[in-house]
Amino acid sequence: MCGIIGFTGFHKAQPILLEGLKRLEYRGYDSAGIAYFRDNTTHISIRKTAGKVSDLAAVCDDENDSICGIGHTRWATHGGVSTANAHPHKFGHVALIHNGIIENYQELTDTYGFGPKLKSQTDTEVAAAVISTKYDELGDPGEALKAAVREMKGSFAFCALFKEYPGKIFAIRNVSPMVATWTKEDGAFIASDLTAFIDYSKRYFAVPEYHLLTLSPEGIRLEDMDGNEVKPEYLTVDWDVSAAQKEGYPHFMLKEIHEQPDAIAKTIAPRIRDSLPDFSVDGIDDSLFEDVRDITVIACGTALYAGMVGAQMIRENFGIPVSCEIASEFRYERPVLNAHTLVIVCSQSGETIDTLAALRLAKTRTKKTLALVNVKGSSIARESDYVMYTHAGPEIAVASTKAYTSQVAAFYLIGVKLGLIGKKILIPEAKEFVETLRTVPDMVHTMLGYEDRVAALTKRLIHAWDVFYIGRGLDYKVAMEGALKLKEISYIHAEAYAAGELKHGTISLVEDGVPVIAISTQKNVHGKVISNIRETKARGAYVILLSRDENVTDPALCDVHFHIPDVPDEFTVFEVIVICQMLAYYTSTGRGVNPDQPRNLAKSVTVE
Ligand code: M6R
């Protein structure tokens, strides 16, 4: 939530900041701003506005030749969307950008008596005021930042300019992510994530919490709170700038839907040897799984729904108890875990604050925490005992797609490994399962062929008020993800129900013309789901059926039918979800919504 970037080096800063902010816009897009040393003197200028980065560009000075600046794109937390509340905030000799929440901002305001001096309603301006006060006292930017953050409670990634230090950026963080890099040719970069400066470097390091960074064109100094210099641990990504661009697609979401075959293949291929799962590339040997008696999966949003599919598959196929927990609930509960519980923490960004807090709690009760994460070096990846990366590449659209299918595929491999170790499955069966998993990219590719039909169908959905998704077993789990996709980017109320639950209340919502997306791919309950669908049809629902039947033409059953190619039951989720994703995408665009930047949402949820 909120994207931040800083640059100081051998190029003009403004174009780098604006381009970086455009790439970070998925993190927040209600207002934007930059601060820089005007004419490279000790004068700090600020340009900011409510609106998108394109609106900011319109108020920037084309002649700006500063080589050092910071930029911010906002997702409002404290204070509404206005130019005054946009970052950077200037107080005294300090200009500050911030991603996070300062929880004790009111207390700090009262303690220091900042009230009448503040021009915005933001916690960030209070933080700038505290830093400025400390700077006046201590006379040193680094010491001022360290002293200020010692008094703050909450999450923050701060980048600051200090008037007397042109060409330098000072930064510090707690919880909220920041990565940085330096190259001899270009200079020093810092940002919420690597996509902001991937044009310049594929090498970067994740900024450790409570460490001070001083960026200058000549390099980056990293030090701990006691002033000891620390060597940054550089990582390298295996994707390049094109992965963070639309490459001809109208939206990132559509591009990412189409990238799924590749994302899944890249996630599973390095972990298959002799047709069996092998996690040696992750530095994980069988001992991690050997005495596992139960599993707890923890996640939020789409990652949670991927976990639910994984959990059900592992329970049913391999007989291991698996529960799936909502991170924001789990973190405030008293969970029952033990030394034999494997906790799998699943997250695309690796920065979701609830998932991170849940991981920290889980670590107090088990030594077996495994992160299933897409972003290399992210907080969740660093703090877990073990980490397995999905290799989906950067996911920019707010609505998660390729991360979901990659996560599900990874869960399937983990499941087979557990099944083998727990002797719940024989080697030939395991090999057959893994070989089927290897064909998932082709399954997804086939489903992408339905795109035109799905797009045409959404003309019927764009006027809906409610859409219901129904299914049983794995179909119900995938229905939840389908409903989330539709509601978050089309703003149509969408809900998933276990088909058997309809008659316990929900069916009263079904009236003439209400769209019902009915999913029936699980052989053991097919007949039951078909009966449930007929019940909705009899009450006037407009039924879109996804099933493995050929040529369904019965008007008492459905209005539209999508044939789901016949694959083993566990694998139809990969087929069904592609239709659901495209349905959501085209409904969103059909309603004139930008699916990459739906209202009120941000890609990486780093506030509670
Ligand atoms: O980065 P994470 O996977 O931890 O994010 C979890 C959710 O915030 C995320 O999946 C969210 O629900 C997406 N908007 C869903 O499309």
Side-chain angles (χ1 to χ4, degrees), residues 300-303 346-350 352 355 398-400 484-485 488 605:
C300 297
T302 288
C346 182
S347 171
Q348 188 284 130
S349 63
T352 300
T355 313
V398 164
S400 185
L484 174 63
K485 280 297 79 92
E488 72 177 325
V605 184

Side-chain angles (χ1 to χ4, degrees), residues 25-29 252-253 256 302 395-401 485 488-489 595-598 601-604:
E25 228 175 1
Y26 70 88
R27 303 178 67 89
Y29 30 84
F252 280 110
M253 184 178 174
E256 289 161 8
T302 288
E395 192 180 65
I396 310 283
V398 164
S400 185
T401 53
K485 280 297 79 92
E488 72 177 325
I489 59 170
D596 287 346
Q597 297 180 348
L601 293 173
K603 180 75 180 161
S604 183

